[in-house]
Amino acid sequence: MSHKNMTPRAFVLMPAVDIQQGTAVRLVQGEPGSETGYGDPVRAAESWVDQGARWLHVVDLDRAFGRGSNAEVVARVVHAVRDRVEVVEVAGGIRDDESLEAALATGATRAVIGTAALEAPDWVASAIAKHGDRIAVSLDVRGTTLAARGWTQEGGDIFEAITRLDAAGCARYIVTDVERDGTMHGPHFHLLHRVCKHTERPVIASGGIAKLEDLHKLVEMMPDGIEGAIVGRALYDNAFTLADAIAAVQARFDFFEWGPPQP
């Protein structure tokens, strides 16, 4: 089945709420010490929903780096917004049954598995078999080499991993260019094109989005398999507002005649 001529229903625009030591933060390239604080994560999440967000991406950075947990804060964030959005997904340090069940027990729509997809492929396959599209896999990349353990270790070739995860039935991928995350240098469009050619699963772009034109280009890639984008620093630093982003996506979406002609 080709992505071509598939009619997209919407472009998923996900504000990110990254949590470190109980505070909403943004990091540059995932580096500890590069963070900028943005206050109460619950307030940040509610603010995005108030501004029109229909999807939300929540990350426990301390769990991702293996240096603690913000589980209670994540649960409060999810509880505050889950009845007001279509999808709220949680990520960060989900590596075994206990952490996966805890993530889903918050009421989150889906859990995002990262490092474990590289280090424990059998467990991930069983989690996908059990939970289906409530599981997304995050592929964090330098070049075409995957980054694991909070981006501190290498984890193999991205395309080999996608082939294996496709066979396991993975429902969707989140692809982050680590070297661009938080840098405002734009997404790695070439990498995203290659990923979309390699899998029939939908792909969410993450990392580097800096201007509305980046979102325009990603919308244009929807027939190839791009499902949406996670946006962090650009929103927090007011490079553009969420309302601007929603309007820009909708305008570009309406510009194209998606799918085959209707009879």
Tab-separated table of all heavy atoms in Angstrom, residues 221-262:
chain	number	residue	atom	x	y	z
A	221	MET	N	4.498	17.054	3.063
A	221	MET	CA	4.999	15.681	3.094
A	221	MET	C	3.948	14.690	3.611
A	221	MET	O	4.233	13.495	3.720
A	221	MET	CB	6.262	15.596	3.965
A	221	MET	CG	7.460	16.306	3.375
A	221	MET	SD	8.879	16.318	4.524
A	221	MET	CE	9.258	14.552	4.608
A	222	MET	N	2.742	15.155	3.891
A	222	MET	CA	1.717	14.240	4.399
A	222	MET	C	1.417	13.075	3.450
A	222	MET	O	1.271	11.934	3.905
A	222	MET	CB	0.449	15.016	4.747
A	222	MET	CG	0.603	15.879	5.990
A	222	MET	SD	-0.915	16.767	6.424
A	222	MET	CE	-1.895	15.440	7.136
A	223	PRO	N	1.341	13.294	2.137
A	223	PRO	CA	1.101	12.144	1.250
A	223	PRO	C	2.233	11.116	1.288
A	223	PRO	O	2.035	9.960	0.940
A	223	PRO	CB	0.990	12.789	-0.141
A	223	PRO	CG	0.622	14.204	0.120
A	223	PRO	CD	1.328	14.568	1.384
A	224	ASP	N	3.435	11.541	1.718
A	224	ASP	CA	4.565	10.611	1.823
A	224	ASP	C	4.511	9.798	3.108
A	224	ASP	O	5.175	8.768	3.221
A	224	ASP	CB	5.893	11.373	1.781
A	224	ASP	CG	6.043	12.189	0.507
A	224	ASP	OD1	5.679	11.677	-0.560
A	224	ASP	OD2	6.522	13.339	0.595
A	225	GLY	N	3.766	10.297	4.109
A	225	GLY	CA	3.675	9.561	5.363
A	225	GLY	C	3.861	10.382	6.617
A	225	GLY	O	3.747	9.857	7.721
A	226	ILE	N	4.182	11.682	6.485
A	226	ILE	CA	4.279	12.533	7.670
A	226	ILE	C	2.877	12.744	8.239
A	226	ILE	O	1.961	13.140	7.526
A	226	ILE	CB	4.932	13.887	7.341
A	226	ILE	CG1	6.404	13.694	6.975
A	226	ILE	CG2	4.789	14.862	8.516
A	226	ILE	CD1	7.288	13.222	8.115
A	227	GLU	N	2.742	12.457	9.520
A	227	GLU	CA	1.447	12.596	10.193
A	227	GLU	C	1.336	13.909	10.954
A	227	GLU	O	0.237	14.437	11.154
A	227	GLU	CB	1.239	11.429	11.153
A	227	GLU	CG	-0.091	11.458	11.891
A	227	GLU	CD	-0.256	10.271	12.817
A	227	GLU	OE1	0.610	10.068	13.696
A	227	GLU	OE2	-1.251	9.538	12.649
A	228	GLY	N	2.478	14.448	11.395
A	228	GLY	CA	2.415	15.665	12.185
A	228	GLY	C	3.785	16.050	12.692
A	228	GLY	O	4.814	15.556	12.212
A	229	ALA	N	3.792	16.934	13.690
A	229	ALA	CA	5.043	17.459	14.226
A	229	ALA	C	4.896	17.754	15.707
A	229	ALA	O	3.838	18.183	16.166
A	229	ALA	CB	5.455	18.722	13.481
A	230	ILE	N	5.981	17.525	16.438
A	230	ILE	CA	6.087	17.955	17.827
A	230	ILE	C	6.870	19.257	17.834
A	230	ILE	O	7.961	19.344	17.256
A	230	ILE	CB	6.795	16.890	18.677
A	230	ILE	CG1	5.946	15.614	18.719
A	230	ILE	CG2	7.057	17.407	20.089
A	230	ILE	CD1	6.670	14.417	19.305
A	231	VAL	N	6.318	20.275	18.473
A	231	VAL	CA	6.953	21.597	18.498
A	231	VAL	C	7.218	21.985	19.943
A	231	VAL	O	6.323	21.896	20.794
A	231	VAL	CB	6.076	22.664	17.818
A	231	VAL	CG1	6.834	23.981	17.713
A	231	VAL	CG2	5.625	22.194	16.442
A	232	GLY	N	8.440	22.390	20.222
A	232	GLY	CA	8.808	22.767	21.579
A	232	GLY	C	9.318	24.185	21.683
A	232	GLY	O	8.565	25.117	21.915
A	233	ARG	N	10.617	24.333	21.475
A	233	ARG	CA	11.265	25.613	21.756
A	233	ARG	C	10.659	26.769	20.967
A	233	ARG	O	10.539	27.881	21.493
A	233	ARG	CB	12.767	25.503	21.452
A	233	ARG	CG	13.526	26.776	21.798
A	233	ARG	CD	15.008	26.627	21.541
A	233	ARG	NE	15.682	27.912	21.694
A	233	ARG	CZ	16.964	28.124	21.405
A	233	ARG	NH1	17.713	27.130	20.965
A	233	ARG	NH2	17.484	29.316	21.562
A	234	ALA	N	10.290	26.535	19.710
A	234	ALA	CA	9.736	27.624	18.898
A	234	ALA	C	8.507	28.241	19.560
A	234	ALA	O	8.303	29.460	19.510
A	234	ALA	CB	9.390	27.122	17.499
A	235	LEU	N	7.679	27.396	20.178
A	235	LEU	CA	6.487	27.904	20.870
A	235	LEU	C	6.866	28.579	22.184
A	235	LEU	O	6.379	29.669	22.499
A	235	LEU	CB	5.511	26.764	21.133
A	235	LEU	CG	4.807	26.170	19.920
A	235	LEU	CD1	3.975	24.957	20.331
A	235	LEU	CD2	3.909	27.211	19.254
A	236	TYR	N	7.744	27.946	22.949
A	236	TYR	CA	8.112	28.496	24.252
A	236	TYR	C	8.863	29.819	24.125
A	236	TYR	O	8.746	30.690	24.983
A	236	TYR	CB	8.946	27.484	25.036
A	236	TYR	CG	8.125	26.348	25.605
A	236	TYR	CD1	7.983	25.142	24.919
A	236	TYR	CD2	7.483	26.475	26.834
A	236	TYR	CE1	7.235	24.100	25.432
A	236	TYR	CE2	6.728	25.430	27.364
A	236	TYR	CZ	6.607	24.249	26.656
A	236	TYR	OH	5.852	23.216	27.173
A	237	ASP	N	9.640	29.945	23.056
A	237	ASP	CA	10.408	31.178	22.844
A	237	ASP	C	9.665	32.190	21.978
A	237	ASP	O	10.236	33.206	21.579
A	237	ASP	CB	11.762	30.860	22.199
A	237	ASP	CG	12.733	30.226	23.184
A	237	ASP	OD1	12.340	30.034	24.358
A	237	ASP	OD2	13.874	29.910	22.786
A	238	ASN	N	8.398	31.884	21.652
A	238	ASN	CA	7.546	32.808	20.905
A	238	ASN	C	8.069	33.126	19.509
A	238	ASN	O	7.900	34.243	19.007
A	238	ASN	CB	7.337	34.115	21.695
A	238	ASN	CG	6.628	33.875	23.016
A	238	ASN	OD1	5.590	33.227	23.059
A	238	ASN	ND2	7.210	34.386	24.092
A	239	ALA	N	8.719	32.129	18.878
A	239	ALA	CA	9.075	32.298	17.465
A	239	ALA	C	7.802	32.439	16.644
A	239	ALA	O	7.771	33.137	15.626
A	239	ALA	CB	9.902	31.114	16.979
A	240	PHE	N	6.766	31.738	17.068
A	240	PHE	CA	5.412	31.911	16.543
A	240	PHE	C	4.456	31.400	17.616
A	240	PHE	O	4.868	30.657	18.523
A	240	PHE	CB	5.195	31.174	15.207
A	240	PHE	CG	5.657	29.740	15.190
A	240	PHE	CD1	4.906	28.723	15.791
A	240	PHE	CD2	6.845	29.383	14.556
A	240	PHE	CE1	5.321	27.409	15.767
A	240	PHE	CE2	7.278	28.056	14.532
A	240	PHE	CZ	6.505	27.073	15.139
A	241	THR	N	3.214	31.804	17.539
A	241	THR	CA	2.230	31.338	18.519
A	241	THR	C	1.608	30.030	18.047
A	241	THR	O	1.680	29.679	16.860
A	241	THR	CB	1.115	32.369	18.725
A	241	THR	OG1	0.343	32.459	17.508
A	241	THR	CG2	1.683	33.738	19.075
A	242	LEU	N	0.981	29.339	18.963
A	242	LEU	CA	0.279	28.117	18.573
A	242	LEU	C	-0.857	28.443	17.613
A	242	LEU	O	-1.094	27.698	16.657
A	242	LEU	CB	-0.251	27.393	19.809
A	242	LEU	CG	-0.960	26.060	19.540
A	242	LEU	CD1	-0.053	25.084	18.807
A	242	LEU	CD2	-1.455	25.447	20.850
A	243	ALA	N	-1.538	29.559	17.849
A	243	ALA	CA	-2.610	29.971	16.931
A	243	ALA	C	-2.058	30.198	15.527
A	243	ALA	O	-2.682	29.804	14.527
A	243	ALA	CB	-3.301	31.230	17.450
A	244	ASP	N	-0.875	30.835	15.439
A	244	ASP	CA	-0.232	31.040	14.134
A	244	ASP	C	0.083	29.694	13.475
A	244	ASP	O	-0.105	29.522	12.270
A	244	ASP	CB	1.076	31.827	14.294
A	244	ASP	CG	0.849	33.282	14.648
A	244	ASP	OD1	-0.261	33.793	14.405
A	244	ASP	OD2	1.792	33.910	15.180
A	245	ALA	N	0.594	28.763	14.272
A	245	ALA	CA	0.964	27.458	13.736
A	245	ALA	C	-0.262	26.708	13.229
A	245	ALA	O	-0.235	26.122	12.142
A	245	ALA	CB	1.677	26.642	14.810
A	246	ILE	N	-1.331	26.731	14.013
A	246	ILE	CA	-2.565	26.055	13.601
A	246	ILE	C	-3.097	26.654	12.311
A	246	ILE	O	-3.486	25.944	11.379
A	246	ILE	CB	-3.617	26.130	14.724
A	246	ILE	CG1	-3.168	25.296	15.933
A	246	ILE	CG2	-4.979	25.661	14.223
A	246	ILE	CD1	-3.997	25.506	17.176
A	247	ALA	N	-3.090	27.981	12.234
A	247	ALA	CA	-3.582	28.667	11.032
A	247	ALA	C	-2.704	28.357	9.824
A	247	ALA	O	-3.210	28.129	8.715
A	247	ALA	CB	-3.651	30.167	11.273
A	248	ALA	N	-1.393	28.333	10.031
A	248	ALA	CA	-0.476	28.062	8.924
A	248	ALA	C	-0.655	26.643	8.404
A	248	ALA	O	-0.655	26.402	7.189
A	248	ALA	CB	0.965	28.280	9.377
A	249	VAL	N	-0.793	25.693	9.321
A	249	VAL	CA	-1.005	24.299	8.925
A	249	VAL	C	-2.311	24.167	8.159
A	249	VAL	O	-2.370	23.520	7.102
A	249	VAL	CB	-1.001	23.391	10.175
A	249	VAL	CG1	-1.601	22.034	9.852
A	249	VAL	CG2	0.412	23.237	10.703
A	250	GLN	N	-3.371	24.779	8.663
A	250	GLN	CA	-4.672	24.653	8.015
A	250	GLN	C	-4.665	25.289	6.633
A	250	GLN	O	-5.220	24.736	5.676
A	250	GLN	CB	-5.774	25.293	8.865
A	250	GLN	CG	-7.179	24.976	8.391
A	250	GLN	CD	-7.465	23.483	8.394
A	250	GLN	OE1	-7.236	22.805	9.388
A	250	GLN	NE2	-7.941	22.957	7.267
A	251	ALA	N	-4.007	26.444	6.516
A	251	ALA	CA	-3.944	27.122	5.222
A	251	ALA	C	-3.208	26.264	4.199
A	251	ALA	O	-3.631	26.142	3.043
A	251	ALA	CB	-3.250	28.474	5.367
A	252	ARG	N	-2.106	25.649	4.627
A	252	ARG	CA	-1.336	24.812	3.715
A	252	ARG	C	-2.101	23.532	3.390
A	252	ARG	O	-2.082	23.042	2.262
A	252	ARG	CB	0.017	24.468	4.353
A	252	ARG	CG	1.096	24.138	3.339
A	252	ARG	CD	1.389	25.339	2.481
A	252	ARG	NE	2.470	25.098	1.537
A	252	ARG	CZ	2.784	25.948	0.574
A	252	ARG	NH1	2.094	27.057	0.433
A	252	ARG	NH2	3.780	25.687	-0.246
A	253	PHE	N	-2.764	22.995	4.410
A	253	PHE	CA	-3.565	21.779	4.232
A	253	PHE	C	-4.655	22.025	3.195
A	253	PHE	O	-4.884	21.215	2.302
A	253	PHE	CB	-4.182	21.386	5.576
A	253	PHE	CG	-4.849	20.047	5.581
A	253	PHE	CD1	-4.125	18.897	5.854
A	253	PHE	CD2	-6.198	19.917	5.331
A	253	PHE	CE1	-4.740	17.653	5.875
A	253	PHE	CE2	-6.827	18.682	5.350
A	253	PHE	CZ	-6.082	17.554	5.622
A	254	ASP	N	-5.327	23.162	3.299
A	254	ASP	CA	-6.422	23.481	2.382
A	254	ASP	C	-5.922	23.781	0.969
A	254	ASP	O	-6.675	23.678	-0.005
A	254	ASP	CB	-7.205	24.690	2.898
A	254	ASP	CG	-7.987	24.376	4.163
A	254	ASP	OD1	-8.185	23.175	4.455
A	254	ASP	OD2	-8.383	25.321	4.869
A	255	PHE	N	-4.641	24.155	0.854
A	255	PHE	CA	-4.083	24.540	-0.441
A	255	PHE	C	-4.006	23.352	-1.395
A	255	PHE	O	-4.135	23.502	-2.608
A	255	PHE	CB	-2.685	25.137	-0.233
A	255	PHE	CG	-1.997	25.571	-1.504
A	255	PHE	CD1	-2.328	26.778	-2.103
A	255	PHE	CD2	-1.026	24.786	-2.092
A	255	PHE	CE1	-1.697	27.183	-3.267
A	255	PHE	CE2	-0.385	25.177	-3.251
A	255	PHE	CZ	-0.728	26.386	-3.839
A	256	PHE	N	-3.790	22.156	-0.820
A	256	PHE	CA	-3.624	20.963	-1.638
A	256	PHE	C	-4.932	20.230	-1.829
A	256	PHE	O	-5.790	20.240	-0.968
A	256	PHE	CB	-2.590	20.031	-1.002
A	256	PHE	CG	-1.192	20.602	-1.000
A	256	PHE	CD1	-0.719	21.316	0.091
A	256	PHE	CD2	-0.379	20.449	-2.106
A	256	PHE	CE1	0.555	21.857	0.085
A	256	PHE	CE2	0.904	20.988	-2.116
A	256	PHE	CZ	1.362	21.692	-1.028
A	257	GLU	N	-5.072	19.580	-2.961
A	257	GLU	CA	-6.194	18.684	-3.179
A	257	GLU	C	-5.751	17.294	-2.783
A	257	GLU	O	-5.133	16.568	-3.556
A	257	GLU	CB	-6.628	18.711	-4.643
A	257	GLU	CG	-7.209	20.046	-5.084
A	257	GLU	CD	-7.685	20.021	-6.526
A	257	GLU	OE1	-7.636	18.934	-7.132
A	257	GLU	OE2	-8.085	21.068	-7.016
A	258	TRP	N	-6.035	16.935	-1.506
A	258	TRP	CA	-5.540	15.674	-0.999
A	258	TRP	C	-6.339	14.509	-1.571
A	258	TRP	O	-7.551	14.564	-1.659
A	258	TRP	CB	-5.666	15.642	0.522
A	258	TRP	CG	-4.853	16.692	1.200
A	258	TRP	CD1	-5.323	17.815	1.810
A	258	TRP	CD2	-3.438	16.752	1.295
A	258	TRP	NE1	-4.278	18.544	2.291
A	258	TRP	CE2	-3.118	17.928	2.001
A	258	TRP	CE3	-2.408	15.915	0.863
A	258	TRP	CZ2	-1.809	18.295	2.277
A	258	TRP	CZ3	-1.110	16.288	1.144
A	258	TRP	CH2	-0.817	17.448	1.849
A	259	GLY	N	-5.632	13.446	-1.916
A	259	GLY	CA	-6.294	12.208	-2.290
A	259	GLY	C	-6.812	12.221	-3.720
A	259	GLY	O	-6.702	13.204	-4.453
A	260	PRO	N	-7.421	11.126	-4.126
A	260	PRO	CA	-7.942	11.020	-5.491
A	260	PRO	C	-9.171	11.896	-5.660
A	260	PRO	O	-9.841	12.254	-4.679
A	260	PRO	CB	-8.333	9.538	-5.593
A	260	PRO	CG	-8.592	9.123	-4.177
A	260	PRO	CD	-7.651	9.920	-3.327
A	261	PRO	N	-9.470	12.293	-6.884
A	261	PRO	CA	-10.663	13.120	-7.110
A	261	PRO	C	-11.915	12.400	-6.635
A	261	PRO	O	-12.042	11.187	-6.793
A	261	PRO	CB	-10.668	13.302	-8.649
A	261	PRO	CG	-9.274	13.004	-9.077
A	261	PRO	CD	-8.736	12.012	-8.114
A	262	GLN	N	-12.784	13.161	-6.024
A	262	GLN	CA	-14.051	12.587	-5.551
A	262	GLN	C	-15.036	12.464	-6.725
A	262	GLN	O	-15.122	13.366	-7.566
A	262	GLN	CB	-14.649	13.467	-4.447
A	262	GLN	CG	-13.767	13.573	-3.221
A	262	GLN	CD	-13.507	12.214	-2.598
A	262	GLN	OE1	-14.435	11.446	-2.376
A	262	GLN	NE2	-12.236	11.921	-2.346
